[in-house]
Amino acid sequence: MVSPINAFLKKRSQLQVAAAGVVFILVLAAMDYATGYELSFSIFYLLPIAFATWYAGLYHGALLSIVSASVWLIADITAGNRYSQPFIPLWNAGVRFLFFIVTVWLLTTVRAQLEKERSMARLDGLTCVMNGLAFTESAQTIFRIADRFRRSTAIGYIDLDNFKSVNDTLGHAEGDQVLKTVASVLLTSVRKADLVGRLGGDEFVVLLPETTRSGAATVFENIHDALLKKAAEKGWPIGVSIGVAVFLTAPSSFNEAIRLADTLMYRVKNSGKNRVLIEEQGRPEETGRPLNGKRPRKTPGALPQAPHS
């Protein structure tokens, strides 16, 4: 869940975050000057630096480090603090600047690692396509958009025929290679706006927004052919069964969409395997079924039709 602070800052530009940090630094500098050299505020300069680094990035954090070291130096000198050597204030300012920069670098590294881990948590560890949770969340968003603009969407359920024989005869390492190859073919066969996920085992799912039956047929037939070609090249004794449900309007739920595509895939399995079966799902006004608990509504205008249609 996104915290209120993160949600607020996402609406603000990096420049605004950095500007707020500069204002904070100037306030600290004024307090530093007003209290004289006996009270030190140097540690508090880290607050706006850390804030800007975390929410605006390395460049803005480094910029605020320079500003902080500079205004601290000015406040220290003008506050009347006397040193035995004139270079001492400059030395102290340089040391503080280095301390600020190290802090900025550490925070940037931690933030990057957190972002990487957050991203990896949404990917399947073996194939690097979306895992089930990430796919579900993204698909639900796409279906909401399709519902609003009444656009067709296609979802395909892909299962490998005789995959167990690969593990049994060629070993699990070769089985893993099969799954990686399948994922690679799927990713290179779809648009950037399309979704590819692995639901577990040898089962994959592909979601094509803004796609009609003819577009879905082209895409999934190409996927089927590409996968069979790869299997033949590698000597893998597998086939590919694909069930594709094309929703003229959004399904009642994501689970319903998956269920219908899965049902079509099993119809392929039960009728000889290794082919593509595509069926359209009727419009709610044709079936009398409310869409997501609401009656169908007319939406003015239309979105431009993307490829796959």
Side-chain angles (χ1 to χ4, degrees), residues 17-86:
V17 172
V22 170
V23 171
F24 192 2
I25 289 171
L26 293 177
V27 171
L28 285 173
M31 295 173 60
D32 211 355
Y33 172 78
T35 56
Y37 61 85
E38 292 182 337
L39 293 178
S40 174
F41 282 77
S42 54
I43 189 65
F44 296 106
Y45 288 94
L46 274 177
L47 297 178
I49 292 173
F51 181 82
T53 301
W54 193 262
Y55 292 106
L58 175 64
Y59 172 80
H60 294 90
L63 179 63
L64 261 65
S65 296
I66 296 173
V67 173
S68 294
S70 300
V71 298
W72 176 86
L73 176 62
I74 294 172
D76 186 58
I77 293 175
T78 56
N81 195 8
R82 296 182 179 276
Y83 296 95
S84 60
Q85 298 294 332

Coordinates of all heavy atoms in Angstrom, one line a residue, residues 17-86:
V17 N 10.3 19.1 -5.1 CA 10.8 18.4 -3.9 C 12.2 19.1 -3.5 O 12.4 19.4 -2.3 CB 11.0 16.9 -4.1 CG1 11.7 16.3 -2.9 CG2 9.6 16.3 -4.3
A18 N 13.0 19.3 -4.5 CA 14.3 19.9 -4.3 C 14.2 21.3 -3.8 O 14.9 21.8 -2.9 CB 15.2 19.9 -5.5
A19 N 13.2 22.1 -4.3 CA 13.0 23.4 -3.9 C 12.5 23.5 -2.4 O 13.0 24.4 -1.7 CB 11.9 24.1 -4.8
A20 N 11.7 22.5 -2.0 CA 11.3 22.5 -0.6 C 12.5 22.2 0.3 O 12.6 22.7 1.4 CB 10.2 21.4 -0.5
G21 N 13.4 21.3 -0.2 CA 14.6 21.0 0.6 C 15.5 22.3 0.7 O 16.1 22.5 1.8
V22 N 15.6 23.1 -0.3 CA 16.4 24.3 -0.2 C 15.8 25.3 0.8 O 16.5 25.9 1.6 CB 16.5 25.0 -1.6 CG1 17.1 26.4 -1.5 CG2 17.3 24.1 -2.6
V23 N 14.5 25.4 0.8 CA 13.8 26.3 1.7 C 14.1 25.8 3.2 O 14.4 26.6 4.1 CB 12.3 26.3 1.5 CG1 11.6 27.1 2.6 CG2 12.0 27.0 0.1
F24 N 14.0 24.5 3.4 CA 14.3 23.9 4.7 C 15.7 24.3 5.1 O 16.0 24.6 6.3 CB 14.1 22.4 4.6 CG 14.0 21.8 6.0 CD1 14.2 22.5 7.2 CD2 13.9 20.4 6.1 CE1 14.1 21.8 8.4 CE2 13.9 19.7 7.3 CZ 14.0 20.5 8.4
I25 N 16.7 24.1 4.2 CA 18.1 24.4 4.5 C 18.3 25.9 4.9 O 19.0 26.2 5.8 CB 19.0 24.1 3.3 CG1 19.0 22.5 3.1 CG2 20.4 24.6 3.5 CD1 19.7 22.1 1.9
L26 N 17.6 26.8 4.1 CA 17.7 28.2 4.4 C 17.1 28.5 5.8 O 17.7 29.4 6.5 CB 17.0 29.0 3.4 CG 17.6 29.0 2.0 CD1 16.8 29.8 1.0 CD2 19.1 29.5 2.0
V27 N 16.1 27.9 6.2 CA 15.5 28.0 7.5 C 16.5 27.6 8.6 O 16.7 28.3 9.6 CB 14.2 27.3 7.7 CG1 13.7 27.3 9.1 CG2 13.1 27.9 6.8
L28 N 17.1 26.4 8.3 CA 18.1 25.9 9.3 C 19.3 26.9 9.4 O 19.8 27.1 10.5 CB 18.6 24.5 8.8 CG 17.7 23.4 9.0 CD1 18.3 22.1 8.4 CD2 17.5 23.1 10.5
A29 N 19.7 27.4 8.2 CA 20.9 28.4 8.2 C 20.5 29.6 9.0 O 21.4 30.1 9.8 CB 21.2 28.7 6.8
A30 N 19.3 30.1 8.9 CA 18.9 31.3 9.7 C 18.9 31.0 11.2 O 19.3 31.8 12.0 CB 17.5 31.7 9.2
M31 N 18.4 29.8 11.6 CA 18.4 29.4 13.0 C 19.9 29.2 13.4 O 20.2 29.6 14.6 CB 17.7 28.1 13.2 CG 16.2 28.2 12.8 SD 15.3 26.6 12.9 CE 15.6 26.1 14.6
D32 N 20.7 28.7 12.6 CA 22.1 28.5 12.9 C 22.8 29.8 13.2 O 23.6 30.0 14.1 CB 22.8 27.7 11.8 CG 24.0 26.9 12.2 OD1 24.3 26.9 13.4 OD2 24.5 26.1 11.4
Y33 N 22.5 30.8 12.3 CA 23.1 32.1 12.5 C 22.6 32.8 13.7 O 23.3 33.4 14.5 CB 22.8 32.9 11.2 CG 23.2 34.4 11.4 CD1 24.5 34.8 11.2 CD2 22.2 35.4 11.6 CE1 24.9 36.1 11.3 CE2 22.6 36.7 11.8 CZ 23.9 37.0 11.6 OH 24.3 38.4 11.7
A34 N 21.3 32.7 14.0 CA 20.6 33.4 15.1 C 21.1 32.9 16.4 O 21.2 33.6 17.4 CB 19.1 33.3 15.0
T35 N 21.5 31.6 16.5 CA 21.9 31.0 17.8 C 23.4 31.1 18.0 O 23.9 30.7 19.1 CB 21.5 29.5 17.9 OG1 22.0 28.8 16.7 CG2 19.9 29.4 17.8
G36 N 24.1 31.6 17.0 CA 25.6 31.7 17.2 C 26.3 30.4 17.1 O 25.7 29.4 16.7
Y37 N 27.6 30.5 17.3 CA 28.5 29.3 17.0 C 28.5 28.3 18.1 O 29.0 27.2 18.0 CB 29.9 29.8 16.8 CG 30.6 30.5 17.9 CD1 31.2 29.8 19.0 CD2 30.5 31.9 18.0 CE1 31.7 30.5 20.1 CE2 31.1 32.6 19.1 CZ 31.7 31.9 20.1 OH 32.3 32.5 21.1
E38 N 27.8 28.6 19.3 CA 27.9 27.7 20.4 C 26.9 26.5 20.2 O 27.2 25.4 20.7 CB 27.5 28.4 21.7 CG 28.5 29.5 22.1 CD 28.1 30.2 23.4 OE1 26.9 30.2 23.7 OE2 29.0 30.7 24.1
L39 N 25.9 26.7 19.4 CA 25.0 25.6 19.1 C 25.1 25.1 17.7 O 25.1 26.0 16.8 CB 23.5 26.0 19.4 CG 23.1 26.3 20.8 CD1 21.6 26.8 20.9 CD2 23.3 25.1 21.7
S40 N 25.3 23.8 17.5 CA 25.5 23.3 16.2 C 24.2 22.7 15.6 O 23.5 22.0 16.3 CB 26.6 22.3 16.2 OG 26.7 21.7 14.9
F41 N 23.9 23.0 14.3 CA 22.8 22.5 13.6 C 23.2 21.6 12.5 O 22.4 21.2 11.7 CB 21.9 23.6 13.1 CG 21.1 24.3 14.1 CD1 21.6 25.2 15.0 CD2 19.7 24.0 14.2 CE1 20.8 25.8 16.0 CE2 18.9 24.6 15.2 CZ 19.5 25.5 16.1
S42 N 24.5 21.3 12.4 CA 25.0 20.6 11.2 C 24.3 19.2 10.9 O 24.0 18.9 9.8 CB 26.5 20.3 11.3 OG 26.8 19.7 12.5
I43 N 23.9 18.5 12.0 CA 23.3 17.2 11.8 C 21.9 17.3 11.1 O 21.4 16.5 10.4 CB 23.1 16.4 13.1 CG1 22.7 15.0 12.9 CG2 22.2 17.1 14.1 CD1 23.6 14.2 12.1
F44 N 21.2 18.5 11.4 CA 19.9 18.7 10.9 C 19.9 19.0 9.4 O 18.8 18.9 8.8 CB 19.2 19.8 11.7 CG 19.0 19.5 13.1 CD1 19.8 20.1 14.1 CD2 18.0 18.6 13.5 CE1 19.6 19.8 15.4 CE2 17.8 18.3 14.9 CZ 18.6 18.9 15.8
Y45 N 21.0 19.4 8.9 CA 21.1 19.6 7.4 C 20.9 18.3 6.6 O 20.6 18.3 5.4 CB 22.4 20.2 7.0 CG 22.5 21.7 7.5 CD1 23.1 22.0 8.7 CD2 22.1 22.7 6.6 CE1 23.3 23.4 9.1 CE2 22.2 24.0 7.0 CZ 22.8 24.4 8.2 OH 22.9 25.7 8.6
L46 N 21.1 17.2 7.3 CA 20.9 15.9 6.7 C 19.4 15.6 6.3 O 19.1 14.9 5.4 CB 21.4 14.8 7.6 CG 22.9 14.4 7.5 CD1 23.2 13.3 8.5 CD2 23.3 14.0 6.1
L47 N 18.5 16.2 7.1 CA 17.1 15.9 6.8 C 16.6 16.3 5.4 O 16.1 15.5 4.7 CB 16.3 16.6 7.9 CG 16.5 16.1 9.4 CD1 15.6 17.0 10.3 CD2 16.2 14.7 9.5
P48 N 16.8 17.6 5.0 CA 16.4 17.9 3.7 C 17.2 17.2 2.6 O 16.7 16.9 1.5 CB 16.6 19.5 3.6 CG 17.6 19.8 4.6 CD 17.4 18.8 5.7
I49 N 18.5 16.9 2.9 CA 19.3 16.2 1.9 C 18.7 14.8 1.7 O 18.6 14.3 0.6 CB 20.8 16.1 2.4 CG1 21.4 17.5 2.3 CG2 21.6 15.2 1.5 CD1 22.8 17.6 2.9
A50 N 18.5 14.1 2.8 CA 17.9 12.8 2.7 C 16.6 12.8 2.0 O 16.2 11.9 1.2 CB 17.8 12.1 4.1
F51 N 15.7 13.7 2.4 CA 14.4 13.9 1.8 C 14.5 14.0 0.3 O 13.8 13.3 -0.5 CB 13.7 15.1 2.4 CG 12.3 15.3 1.9 CD1 11.3 14.6 2.5 CD2 12.1 16.3 0.9 CE1 10.0 14.9 2.0 CE2 10.8 16.5 0.5 CZ 9.7 15.8 1.0
A52 N 15.3 14.9 -0.2 CA 15.5 15.2 -1.6 C 16.1 14.0 -2.3 O 15.7 13.7 -3.4 CB 16.3 16.4 -1.8
T53 N 17.1 13.3 -1.7 CA 17.7 12.2 -2.3 C 16.7 11.1 -2.5 O 16.6 10.4 -3.6 CB 18.9 11.7 -1.5 OG1 19.8 12.7 -1.3 CG2 19.5 10.5 -2.1
W54 N 15.9 10.8 -1.5 CA 15.0 9.7 -1.6 C 13.8 9.9 -2.6 O 13.4 9.0 -3.3 CB 14.4 9.4 -0.2 CG 13.7 8.1 0.0 CD1 12.3 7.9 -0.1 CD2 14.3 6.8 0.2 NE1 12.0 6.6 0.0 CE2 13.2 5.9 0.2 CE3 15.6 6.4 0.3 CZ2 13.4 4.5 0.4 CZ3 15.8 5.1 0.5 CH2 14.7 4.1 0.6
Y55 N 13.3 11.1 -2.6 CA 12.1 11.4 -3.4 C 12.5 12.1 -4.8 O 11.6 12.1 -5.6 CB 11.1 12.2 -2.6 CG 10.5 11.4 -1.5 CD1 10.9 11.7 -0.2 CD2 9.6 10.4 -1.7 CE1 10.3 11.0 0.9 CE2 9.0 9.7 -0.7 CZ 9.4 10.0 0.6 OH 8.9 9.3 1.7
A56 N 13.6 12.7 -4.9 CA 14.0 13.4 -6.1 C 15.2 12.8 -6.9 O 15.4 13.1 -8.0 CB 14.2 14.9 -5.9
G57 N 16.0 12.0 -6.2 CA 17.1 11.4 -6.8 C 18.5 11.9 -6.5 O 18.7 12.9 -5.7
L58 N 19.5 11.2 -7.0 CA 20.9 11.5 -6.7 C 21.3 12.9 -7.0 O 22.0 13.6 -6.2 CB 21.8 10.5 -7.5 CG 23.3 10.7 -7.4 CD1 23.8 10.5 -5.9 CD2 24.0 9.8 -8.3
Y59 N 21.0 13.4 -8.2 CA 21.4 14.7 -8.6 C 20.9 15.8 -7.7 O 21.7 16.7 -7.3 CB 20.8 15.0 -10.0 CG 21.0 16.4 -10.5 CD1 22.3 16.8 -11.0 CD2 20.0 17.4 -10.4 CE1 22.4 18.1 -11.4 CE2 20.2 18.7 -10.8 CZ 21.4 19.0 -11.4 OH 21.6 20.3 -11.8
H60 N 19.6 15.7 -7.3 CA 19.1 16.8 -6.4 C 19.6 16.6 -5.0 O 19.8 17.6 -4.3 CB 17.6 16.7 -6.4 CG 16.9 17.0 -7.7 ND1 16.7 16.1 -8.6 CD2 16.5 18.2 -8.2 CE1 16.1 16.7 -9.7 NE2 16.0 18.0 -9.4
G61 N 19.9 15.4 -4.6 CA 20.6 15.2 -3.3 C 22.0 15.8 -3.2 O 22.3 16.4 -2.2
A62 N 22.7 15.6 -4.3 CA 24.1 16.2 -4.4 C 24.0 17.7 -4.4 O 24.8 18.4 -3.8 CB 24.8 15.7 -5.6
L63 N 23.0 18.2 -5.1 CA 22.8 19.7 -5.2 C 22.6 20.3 -3.8 O 23.1 21.3 -3.4 CB 21.7 20.0 -6.2 CG 21.4 21.5 -6.3 CD1 22.6 22.3 -6.9 CD2 20.1 21.7 -7.2
L64 N 21.7 19.6 -3.1 CA 21.4 20.1 -1.7 C 22.5 19.9 -0.8 O 22.7 20.7 0.2 CB 20.1 19.4 -1.2 CG 18.8 20.2 -1.3 CD1 18.5 20.4 -2.8 CD2 17.7 19.5 -0.6
S65 N 23.4 18.9 -1.1 CA 24.6 18.8 -0.2 C 25.5 20.0 -0.4 O 26.1 20.5 0.6 CB 25.4 17.5 -0.7 OG 24.6 16.4 -0.4
I66 N 25.7 20.5 -1.6 CA 26.5 21.7 -1.9 C 25.9 22.9 -1.2 O 26.6 23.7 -0.6 CB 26.6 21.9 -3.4 CG1 27.3 20.7 -4.1 CG2 27.3 23.2 -3.7 CD1 27.4 20.8 -5.6
V67 N 24.5 23.0 -1.4 CA 23.8 24.2 -0.7 C 24.0 24.1 0.8 O 24.3 25.1 1.4 CB 22.3 24.2 -1.1 CG1 21.6 25.3 -0.3 CG2 22.2 24.4 -2.6
S68 N 23.8 22.9 1.4 CA 23.9 22.8 2.8 C 25.3 23.1 3.3 O 25.5 23.9 4.3 CB 23.6 21.4 3.2 OG 22.2 21.1 3.0
A69 N 26.4 22.6 2.7 CA 27.7 22.9 3.1 C 28.0 24.4 3.0 O 28.7 25.0 3.8 CB 28.7 22.1 2.3
S70 N 27.5 25.0 1.9 CA 27.8 26.4 1.7 C 27.1 27.3 2.7 O 27.8 28.2 3.3 CB 27.4 26.8 0.2 OG 28.0 26.0 -0.7
V71 N 25.8 27.1 2.9 CA 25.1 28.0 3.8 C 25.6 27.7 5.3 O 25.6 28.7 6.1 CB 23.6 27.8 3.7 CG1 23.1 28.1 2.3 CG2 23.1 26.4 4.1
W72 N 26.0 26.5 5.6 CA 26.5 26.3 6.9 C 27.8 27.0 7.1 O 28.0 27.6 8.2 CB 26.8 24.8 7.1 CG 27.4 24.5 8.5 CD1 26.8 24.3 9.7 CD2 28.8 24.5 8.7 NE1 27.7 24.2 10.7 CE2 29.0 24.3 10.1 CE3 30.0 24.7 8.0 CZ2 30.2 24.2 10.8 CZ3 31.2 24.6 8.6 CH2 31.3 24.4 9.9
L73 N 28.6 27.1 6.1 CA 29.9 27.8 6.2 C 29.6 29.3 6.3 O 30.3 30.0 7.2 CB 30.7 27.6 4.9 CG 32.0 28.4 4.8 CD1 33.0 28.0 5.9 CD2 32.7 28.1 3.4
I74 N 28.7 29.8 5.6 CA 28.3 31.2 5.7 C 27.8 31.6 7.1 O 28.2 32.5 7.7 CB 27.3 31.6 4.6 CG1 28.0 31.5 3.2 CG2 26.8 33.1 4.8 CD1 27.0 31.7 2.1
A75 N 26.9 30.7 7.6 CA 26.3 30.9 8.9 C 27.4 30.8 10.0 O 27.4 31.6 10.9 CB 25.2 29.9 9.1
D76 N 28.3 29.9 9.8 CA 29.3 29.7 10.8 C 30.3 30.9 10.9 O 30.6 31.4 12.0 CB 30.1 28.5 10.5 CG 31.1 28.1 11.6 OD1 30.7 28.0 12.8 OD2 32.3 28.0 11.3
I77 N 30.7 31.4 9.7 CA 31.6 32.6 9.7 C 30.9 33.9 10.2 O 31.4 34.6 11.0 CB 32.1 32.8 8.3 CG1 33.0 31.6 7.9 CG2 32.9 34.1 8.2 CD1 33.5 31.6 6.5
T78 N 29.7 34.1 9.7 CA 29.0 35.3 10.1 C 28.5 35.3 11.5 O 28.1 36.4 12.1 CB 27.8 35.6 9.2 OG1 26.9 34.4 9.2 CG2 28.2 35.8 7.7
A79 N 28.4 34.1 12.1 CA 28.0 34.0 13.5 C 29.1 34.5 14.5 O 28.8 34.6 15.7 CB 27.5 32.6 13.9
G80 N 30.3 34.7 14.0 CA 31.3 35.2 14.8 C 32.3 34.2 15.4 O 33.1 34.5 16.3
N81 N 32.2 33.0 14.9 CA 33.1 32.0 15.4 C 34.5 32.2 14.9 O 34.7 32.5 13.8 CB 32.6 30.6 14.9 CG 33.3 29.4 15.7 OD1 34.0 29.7 16.7 ND2 33.1 28.2 15.2
R82 N 35.5 32.2 15.9 CA 36.9 32.5 15.5 C 37.7 31.2 15.5 O 37.6 30.4 16.4 CB 37.5 33.5 16.5 CG 36.8 34.9 16.5 CD 37.4 35.8 17.4 NE 36.8 37.1 17.4 CZ 37.0 38.1 16.5 NH1 38.0 37.9 15.6 NH2 36.4 39.2 16.5
Y83 N 38.6 31.1 14.5 CA 39.4 29.9 14.4 C 40.9 30.4 14.4 O 41.2 31.5 14.0 CB 39.1 29.2 13.1 CG 37.7 28.6 13.0 CD1 36.7 29.3 12.4 CD2 37.4 27.4 13.6 CE1 35.4 28.8 12.4 CE2 36.1 26.8 13.5 CZ 35.1 27.6 12.9 OH 33.9 27.0 12.9
S84 N 41.8 29.4 14.8 CA 43.2 29.8 14.8 C 43.8 29.9 13.5 O 44.8 30.6 13.3 CB 43.9 28.6 15.6 OG 43.8 27.4 14.9
Q85 N 43.2 29.3 12.4 CA 43.7 29.4 11.1 C 42.5 29.7 10.1 O 41.4 29.1 10.3 CB 44.4 28.1 10.6 CG 45.6 27.7 11.5 CD 46.8 28.7 11.3 OE1 46.9 29.3 10.2 NE2 47.6 28.8 12.3
P86 N 42.7 30.5 9.2 CA 41.6 30.9 8.3 C 41.1 29.8 7.4 O 39.9 29.8 6.9 CB 42.2 32.0 7.4 CG 43.7 31.8 7.5 CD 43.9 31.3 8.8

